[in-house]
Each structure stands twice: as C-alpha cells, then as structure tokens.
Amino acid sequence: MNIVILTGAGISAESGLGTFRDIDGLWTKYDLNDVATPEGFARNPDLVHQFYNARRMNCRTALPNDAHTALARLQRDCPGEVDLVTQNIDDLHERAGSRSVWHMHGEVTRALCDACGHRWDAPERMEPSDPCPACEAAATRPDVVWFGEIPYFLDEIQDRLERSDLFVSIGTSGSVYPAAGFVAIAAGAGAQTLELNLEPSDSSSAFTEIRHGKASELVPAWVNEVLASAK
Ligand code: OAD
C-alpha cells in the first residue's frame, strides 16, 4: 500500500509550537503580509528575520510528540511506501526519526541566498546584513516559502499522490493551496482519504473518513491500526 501523509501546524501544537489560524494562532498576532511575503521582506527585512529567529528558537527548544514518533514508526515498519509531506518549517518529524520528509514550505533551520541560490544551515539568529557564505552578498533569507512563492517539491508530491492508495491529512486547516488541493488529487487517483484533525477543516467534505481529536492520540491509534492490518 502506498500512503501519502500531509501534516500541518496542528501536529506540532502539542509540542508547544503555535498554529496559524487557531484563536491564539500566529496570524492573530502578526500580519502575514508583513512577515510571510517577499514584499514584506523587501519592506522590512529586520522584522521578518526577527519573526523567523523566534520560530527557529521555539523549534530548537520543542520536542517531537507522540504523533511525530508514530509517523516515524509507520515509515520504518510499514511494508509499503510511506511519503511524508509537511507544510511545517520545523524539524520535529526528522527529530522523531522520520526520513525523506518533503518540506513543501521550506525549513526554518536552513538559510537561502536570494542572490545566488546557495543554501546552508541557518545560524540561531539571522540578520539582514549576514553575508552569503558562497557569494558574500548581504541577501540572505530563511529558506522558507512565502505567500506568492511556489512551494517546493510539487512535481514529486504530485507523482506520489497519483500513485497513492491512501492519503491522510493531519493537523491542517485545509485553507492554503496547493496543499489544500492534495485530497482531490489523491481521490481522483482512486485513493482512500482520511482527515485527522482537532476539528473539521475547510476541506473536510472532500475526505472519505474524518476523525476529530488531538494528533497525539489520533495518530498513534491510526498507525497501530495500519501496522496491525499490514501483518
Ligand atoms: P493552521 O493554523 O491553518 O491550521 C492548524 C489546524 O490544526 C487547525 O485546523 C486546528 O484545528 C488543528 N489543530 C490544532 N491543534 C491540534 C492538535 N493538537 N491536534 C490536531 N489538530 C490540531 O495551520 P496549517 O494548516 O498548517 O504557510 O497552515 C498552512 C499554512 O498556512 C502554513 O504552512 C503556513 C500558514 O500560513 C506559510 O507560511 C506559507
């Protein structure tokens, strides 16, 4: 069985990382146009670096929870292909032991040079004046995808979705495209579709099965079911 899993901020909520659109979410405290667009970065790079420096710091002190750990176990023990696609810029999947995570919105732990495209491990704090280690231009940014930019790995993800037997969406509001459209691609390819989320998402109606609750409870229970049925 080929399984494609999409995760969002809800899977890291119980690790202490904030979501975006919940009542106390990041987009209630910050204007995404200021901190998550190329135009915002051009206007005020200091503010944008401060925002992502804080995200990077939170990420370093957070620990993977039972949902991340269960997905790593699934990838290790499931006889079929298990592709993990995340909208999250944190590294909690990797730190839980997952391999080959498709970070479609980039990674806060990585830096990117806007001038030459070089990528490297981000220092704890980035500043607008930081020189690129390759070309020395002071044009460095977090290696994250902003609104108005094209997410990473879309061809690879499309290919996996078209070959999937089961698509599972975990902890995402289903409100940001293209990720919100993955369920329709998988369903169009004949896959079963399952949503695991705290509450109904904006795209719940597109799923064949929906379970509501905390990721740290729903995900390990679902992984146990899959591994038991694969025996
Ligand atoms: P959102 O904040 O939009 O949605 C998080 C979802 O997780 C909500 O539906 C919550 O109900 C759910 N949730 C919260 N706590 C949970 C828990 N403990 N267990 C399970 N579910 C829980 O976050 P995303 O959907 O990830 O993009 O947001 C998508 C994209 O929008 C992000 O990648 C980011 C953001 O703007 C960019 O910055 C480009």
Side-chain angles (χ1 to χ4, degrees):
M1 177 159 71
N2 292 341
I3 304 176
V4 178
I5 297 165
L6 171 70
T7 64
I11 197 168
S12 297
E14 292 165 77
S15 295
L17 301 185
T19 61
F20 295 96
R21 295 176 182 77
D22 289 310
I23 206 151
D24 55 351
L26 284 168
W27 296 156
T28 66
K29 298 173 191 137
Y30 297 87
D31 185 336
L32 71 80
N33 294 300
D34 289 338
V35 297
T37 62
E39 296 77 16
F41 186 58
R43 269 197 310 275
N44 192 343
D46 265 314
L47 177 74
V48 176
H49 275 305
Q50 277 169 31
F51 177 77
Y52 287 98
N53 287 342
R55 308 277 76 71
R56 193 174 303 112
M57 188 61 81
N58 290 349
C59 175
R60 286 199 176 161
T61 54
L63 293 173
N65 65 52
D66 290 347
H68 298 101
T69 309
L71 293 183
R73 188 159 57 89
L74 182 70
Q75 282 193 308
R76 194 189 60 220
D77 296 345
C78 189
E81 205 177 291
V82 180
D83 282 291
L84 185 49
V85 179
T86 188
Q87 298 167 90
N88 297 345
I89 58 175
D90 67 56
D91 60 356
L92 296 183
H93 284 306
E94 286 86 348
R95 282 163 54 204
S98 273
R99 50 186 163 74
S100 64
V101 183
W102 303 102
H103 277 275
M104 62 180 291
H105 289 169
E107 298 169 77
V108 76
T109 53
R110 301 279 291 162
L112 166 67
C113 176
D114 246 345
C116 74
H118 180 64
R119 290 184 161 86
W120 66 100
D121 283 338
E124 204 158 289
R125 295 191 60 76
M126 293 182 71
E127 310 282 345
S129 57
D130 289 344
C132 165
C135 75
E136 296 186 0
T140 65
R141 54 172 280 182
D143 188 9
V144 299
V145 175
W146 288 321
F147 287 93
E149 297 182 322
I150 298 170
Y152 298 155
F153 309 119
L154 289 183
D155 289 345
E156 290 87 346
I157 296 167
Q158 174 89 22
D159 172 63
R160 300 314 191 275
L161 289 168
E162 286 174 355
R163 291 193 284 115
S164 64
D165 302 301
L166 174 62
F167 171 75
V168 187
S169 172
I170 303 170
T172 173
S173 60
S175 55
V176 176
Y177 284 82
F182 290 171
V183 59
I185 299 172
Q192 293 293 303
T193 56
L194 168 65
E195 175 173 271
L196 305 177
N197 204 49
L198 195 59
E199 59 194 4
S201 76
D202 289 356
S203 45
S204 281
S205 61
F207 288 83
T208 44
E209 188 186 345
I210 302 165
R211 300 183 192 177
H212 294 147
K214 292 180 178 174
S216 65
E217 292 166 8
L218 292 182
V219 178
W222 170 70
V223 166
N224 286 343
E225 283 171 32
V226 175
L227 292 178
S229 68
K231 274 185 186 153

